[in-house]
Amino acid sequence: MTVIKQLQIKVIFSIIFVQAGMLAGLLVFLNYSFRVAENRKAQNFLIQLAKHNGHRPPPERYDSVSPGTYFPWKRNTDTHTVNHKFSSLNLGDNDQMMRNYFAVNVSYAGVINEIIKEFPINYTNEEISELIISIRATNHYTGTVGDIRFLVTPAAYGNDLICLLNIKNNIETQKKLLLFSVMIFVLSGLVTSFLSLIISSVIIKPTRQSIEKQNQFIADVSHELRTPIAVIGANIDVLETEIGDNKWFKYIKEENKRMGELVRDLLYLAKNDSGMDNITIEDFDFSNAIENAVLPFEVIAFENNMRLNIKIQPNIVCLGNEKELKQIAVILVDNAIKNSEPNAVITITVLAEKDKILLKVHNTGNGIPKEEMEKIFRRFYRSDSSRARKTGGYGLGLSIAQTIAKKHEGTLTVASELEKYTEFTLTLPKKTKKL
């Protein structure tokens, strides 16, 4: 994934996160406020009901009444409904949800003395008895049981007055509001995702152009430098044959080689950042490839008085680019040798687990300080101790290795303990074209 794509994804997720957070907060506040208001309205109604011994309190008379509103002492004989209006409760003209209320006078022993009702209720005496038992079992003076909200207050002669109100309509309305809020949240999320894609493209356009120009510049310069570097190397070889061995030629040749390696690495990173580095993905024998890549280091390790252990599980098939994955092994082993002291032991391990392939390069030695473990994958970064040993290189090897690992959907991690060891682990997904 290129830097541009990573930046665009971050912008998109930032926009979606901010929008989703604000909308979610607003919808939660709306649902909570509605629920609190409805519960308070029902609770106030029960309190007024209890104050009047289970009967609805007399309404307050208004000077102006909207059309179709009847005073409670006047009955509409056609519809057999009574409408009440309370300014203190703000019940509104339509109090249909308040119709199914009643009160029960219960003795201390739980015996129902009286059922106080002003409208037909949808409960039998047996259902009311079961309801009262459930309410008393809660040991609360107020709350809800199923679709019924209740309020328990003391009555005369040691009895309890339990006022009950059916709030089924309220609950259904709250559920609909919640469902509607979820639908709004999901729909707005889809719309925001589409818009954020367009907005992010506009926002990062200047950055994209700048990075593309920078990568193109690096690629062009690196490409143009390859020719003079090659010419210098060829001329040095010719002069060596004519003049003979010369230490100055040796210095020039070594620096020319290092410059060529630097240009090659810069060109690779520039192509990868710009998305122009297309690689061929095929199934190959990962075990055999890594073994062929690390075997030449046996001589180098022997010359530096180090021991190289190779533990490779055979016949591991990997889906990827063989050349680039071999390059990771070369970088890690070369890095281990350059940063180890004499008598160090370097162990290369390749094994396959359930769903992944592991390449581990472990070396004994000085280790890496914790504050540098995240920095070592940065481009051109080298620790002071590495510079002091003059091991060469420009600090691009680990950055290239990590880039290759990400291209293969893998990870490259490091673990280390000072004065003991350093271990790099390449983790790749275990998959093949056959799968």
Side-chain angles (χ1 to χ4, degrees), residues 11-57:
V11 173
I12 291 174
F13 274 100
S14 298
I15 295 174
I16 294 176
F17 179 78
V18 172
Q19 184 272 343
M22 295 179 61
L23 183 60
L26 179 62
L27 293 176
V28 168
F29 175 76
L30 177 64
N31 281 267
Y32 177 77
S33 300
F34 179 80
R35 181 177 180 181
V36 170
E38 291 297 313
N39 289 341
R40 184 177 300 171
K41 177 181 175 182
Q43 187 71 5
N44 287 341
F45 180 83
L46 290 175
I47 292 173
Q48 295 296 325
L49 201 64
K51 286 183 178 179
H52 294 81
N53 298 321
H55 298 280
R56 171 167 261 175

Side-chain angles (χ1 to χ4, degrees), residues 346-361:
I346 300 171
T347 304
I348 298 98
T349 305
V350 175
L351 57 96
E353 295 184 352
K354 292 181 179 179
D355 57 349
K356 55 188 176 182
I357 300 172
L358 300 178
L359 165 64
K360 296 178 179 288
V361 178

Side-chain angles (χ1 to χ4, degrees), residues 197-211:
L197 183 62
I198 300 175
I199 296 173
S200 63
S201 299
V202 176
I203 292 176
I204 68 172
K205 184 177 180 179
T207 306
R208 179 192 291 112
Q209 294 174 346
S210 176
I211 294 178

Side-chain angles (χ1 to χ4, degrees), residues 145-173:
V145 174
D147 295 335
I148 297 295
R149 187 170 186 86
F150 66 87
L151 176 66
V152 181
T153 57
Y157 308 108
N159 296 333
D160 287 334
L161 179 65
I162 304 178
C163 300
L164 304 102
L165 175 65
N166 190 311
I167 57 172
K168 182 178 181 180
N169 290 342
N170 286 357
I171 296 175
E172 292 297 328
T173 303

Side-chain angles (χ1 to χ4, degrees), residues 53-296:
N53 298 321
H55 298 280
R56 171 167 261 175
E60 297 180 10
R61 185 162 182 167
Y62 290 88
D63 294 333
S64 60
V65 180
S66 59
T69 300
Y70 299 92
F71 291 109
W73 53 83
K74 295 182 180 179
R75 180 177 296 275
N76 186 327
T77 56
D78 296 330
T79 60
H80 298 288
T81 59
V82 178
N83 294 308
H84 300 288
K85 193 170 184 179
F86 296 91
S87 61
S88 61
L89 300 181
N90 192 23
L91 298 180
D93 294 336
N94 184 10
D95 61 349
Q96 186 64 33
M97 60 162 285
M98 296 298 185
R99 288 298 178 84
N100 202 5
Y101 71 90
F102 59 99
V104 181
N105 189 292
V106 183
S107 68
Y108 178 79
V111 179
I112 297 178
N113 298 325
E114 181 185 8
I115 298 177
I116 307 169
K117 57 182 179 178
E118 297 175 338
F119 302 98
I121 58 177
N122 300 325
Y123 300 95
T124 64
N125 291 341
E126 291 76 11
E127 290 175 336
I128 293 176
S129 298
E130 294 176 359
L131 188 59
I132 297 301
I133 293 173
S134 300
I135 291 173
R136 292 172 68 89
T138 62
N139 292 324
H140 293 147
Y141 77 93
T142 186
T144 56
V145 174
D147 295 335
I148 297 295
R149 187 170 186 86
F150 66 87
L151 176 66
V152 181
T153 57
Y157 308 108
N159 296 333
D160 287 334
L161 179 65
I162 304 178
C163 300
L164 304 102
L165 175 65
N166 190 311
I167 57 172
K168 182 178 181 180
N169 290 342
N170 286 357
I171 296 175
E172 292 297 328
T173 303
Q174 292 175 21
K175 289 181 179 179
K176 290 179 181 179
L177 179 61
L178 179 60
L179 179 61
F180 184 67
S181 300
V182 172
M183 293 174 61
I184 291 178
F185 183 80
V186 173
L187 181 61
S188 63
L190 295 176
V191 174
T192 303
S193 300
F194 175 75
L195 294 178
S196 62
L197 183 62
I198 300 175
I199 296 173
S200 63
S201 299
V202 176
I203 292 176
I204 68 172
K205 184 177 180 179
T207 306
R208 179 192 291 112
Q209 294 174 346
S210 176
I211 294 178
E212 287 176 352
K213 290 180 181 178
Q214 179 181 351
N215 291 334
Q216 187 63 43
F217 172 77
I218 296 174
D220 292 342
V221 171
S222 300
H223 183 74
E224 293 298 327
L225 286 175
R226 294 173 68 179
T227 300
I229 290 174
V231 172
I232 292 173
N235 290 331
I236 292 174
D237 293 337
V238 173
L239 289 175
E240 279 185 326
T241 58
E242 294 183 359
I243 300 177
D245 190 18
N246 186 297
K247 67 176 182 179
W248 308 112
F249 286 156
K250 182 179 179 181
Y251 295 154
I252 294 173
K253 195 171 185 178
E254 289 179 353
E255 292 303 317
N256 188 69
K257 180 181 178 182
R258 293 181 67 235
M259 182 64 71
E261 293 174 350
L262 173 62
V263 170
R264 180 197 63 196
D265 293 343
L266 286 174
L267 184 59
Y268 174 84
L269 292 173
K271 286 183 177 180
N272 181 76
D273 290 342
S274 61
M276 296 185 298
D277 188 24
N278 298 320
I279 60 174
T280 302
I281 302 296
E282 295 289 344
D283 290 336
F284 69 96
D285 190 332
F286 185 77
S287 303
N288 185 61
I290 299 302
E291 185 176 8
N292 292 335
V294 302
L295 277 177

Side-chain angles (χ1 to χ4, degrees), residues 339-340 363-370 372-373 383 385 389 414-423:
N339 293 279
S340 297
N363 68 279
T364 58
N366 296 322
I368 304 174
K370 289 184 177 180
E372 294 187 0
M373 290 179 65
S383 63
S385 58
R389 285 194 295 270
V414 60
S416 182
E417 188 173 345
L418 287 177
E419 306 300 332
K420 290 188 177 181
Y421 75 93
T422 299
E423 183 177 83

